[in-house]
Amino acid sequence: MNSTQLISLILSVGSFLIPLLLGYKKRRTLLWTYIFTGLTFDILIIVFKRIFHINIFPFANLYFLTEFLLVSLYYYKNIGREQRYFIYSISIIVVLYTIQTFLHGIGNRNGVGAATFYAIYLLYALWGFFVISKRHLYDIVTQSSFFWVNVAILLSSSGRVILFLFEDYLTLHQHGHLATLWVIYRMFNVLINILFAIALTRRYE
C-alpha cells in the first residue's frame, strides 16, 4: 500500500466519525446504526487483513448482507410500509444472495451480489425522491433527513455498482486502474459521510 492509498484509507475510515459525532443525539436511529455498522466492519476488515492476514472476503460478504438489511429496513420504515410485498421481496433477495455467496465460494468476494444490492439502493433512492415530490415536501426538503439520505445513497451506490461489477475484470487485466478506483472510492466515502452528517442534523425525518 503506497502513501496515497494509505491516506485515502485513513480519511475514509475517519470520515465515519463526522456523522457519528454530529448525529450522536440520534444514535438510536437506523441511520446512525447503519453508519456505526459501516465503521465497525471497516475497522474489523483492516485489522483482519493487515494484522492477522486473514481472508477478509467472508466478512465483506457478511457486511454486504448486513448493509442491505439495514438500508432496506430504513426505506421500509420511511416509504415501504404501504407496499404489501416489500418484506417478501427483501426476504427472497436475501435468500438468493446467500445461496449465490455459498455457490461462488464464501471465501471469495461476492462482487455481483454486492453490485446487485447497490443497484437496488439506486432504485430506493429514486423511489424516495419520487415520494418526496408526490408528497409536495418542497418547502422543507433541505430540512428533511430523508432527502439527504437519498442524495447520499444515490451518489454512493452509482459508483459502487460499477466498482463491484468490474472488480474481477480489473483485478486480472488492469490492476493499476483498480487501485486508483479504490482510492477514488475511499475519497468519495468522505463526501457520503458528510451528507449523512447533514441528514442526522436535519429537523425532519
Side-chain angles (χ1 to χ4, degrees):
M1 178 179 290
N2 60 38
S3 59
T4 301
Q5 293 170 328
L6 179 60
I7 292 172
S8 68
L9 179 61
I10 293 173
L11 290 175
S12 177
V13 175
S15 69
F16 281 98
L17 296 176
I18 300 173
L20 291 178
L21 294 176
L22 291 179
Y24 187 72
K25 290 182 179 179
K26 295 185 178 180
R27 60 189 178 279
R28 299 186 186 279
T29 62
L30 269 173
L31 178 57
W32 198 93
T33 301
Y34 165 63
I35 299 166
F36 181 77
T37 302
L39 174 60
T40 302
F41 268 93
D42 265 16
I43 292 175
L44 286 175
I45 287 174
I46 292 170
V47 170
F48 290 149
K49 181 178 180 179
R50 302 295 174 185
I51 298 178
F52 298 109
H53 306 290
I54 297 174
N55 181 7
I56 62 170
F57 291 154
F59 301 100
N61 292 331
L62 177 60
Y63 171 69
F64 295 142
L65 181 58
T66 304
E67 181 185 40
F68 177 70
L69 291 172
L70 289 172
V71 173
S72 297
L73 186 58
Y74 176 85
Y75 276 93
Y76 174 74
K77 177 184 175 183
N78 281 276
I79 57 177
R81 290 179 177 176
E82 298 176 358
Q83 305 302 316
R84 183 178 178 183
Y85 299 107
F86 190 91
I87 295 297
Y88 298 114
S89 300
I90 298 307
S91 301
I92 291 172
I93 293 170
V94 167
V95 170
L96 291 176
Y97 172 81
T98 303
I99 293 173
Q100 183 194 22
T101 299
F102 277 97
L103 291 177
H104 185 62
I106 196 170
N108 300 311
R109 192 197 326 254
N110 188 350
V112 173
T116 301
F117 284 159
Y118 289 119
I120 293 172
Y121 301 160
L122 283 174
L123 296 178
Y124 283 166
L126 293 174
W127 183 20
F129 284 125
F130 172 75
V131 170
I132 289 173
S133 65
K134 188 177 179 180
R135 293 176 181 173
H136 304 290
L137 302 176
Y138 309 111
D139 54 332
I140 63 168
V141 67
T142 59
Q143 292 300 316
S144 167
S145 173
F146 185 58
F147 169 78
W148 290 105
V149 170
N150 278 295
V151 173
I153 293 293
L154 184 67
L155 291 176
S156 63
S157 299
S158 57
R160 289 171 182 175
V161 167
I162 298 173
L163 176 63
F164 287 111
L165 268 181
F166 295 101
E167 183 183 27
D168 289 341
Y169 172 81
L170 291 173
T171 299
L172 293 175
H173 303 286
Q174 299 288 340
H175 192 268
H177 290 170
L178 179 62
T180 302
L181 279 178
W182 273 107
V183 170
I184 296 172
Y185 166 84
R186 290 171 185 142
M187 296 308 298
F188 212 60
N189 273 348
V190 177
L191 172 62
I192 302 307
N193 281 319
I194 290 173
L195 291 173
F196 280 141
I198 295 173
L200 283 168
T201 57
R202 295 302 90 178
R203 177 179 178 185
Y204 300 102
E205 292 296 325

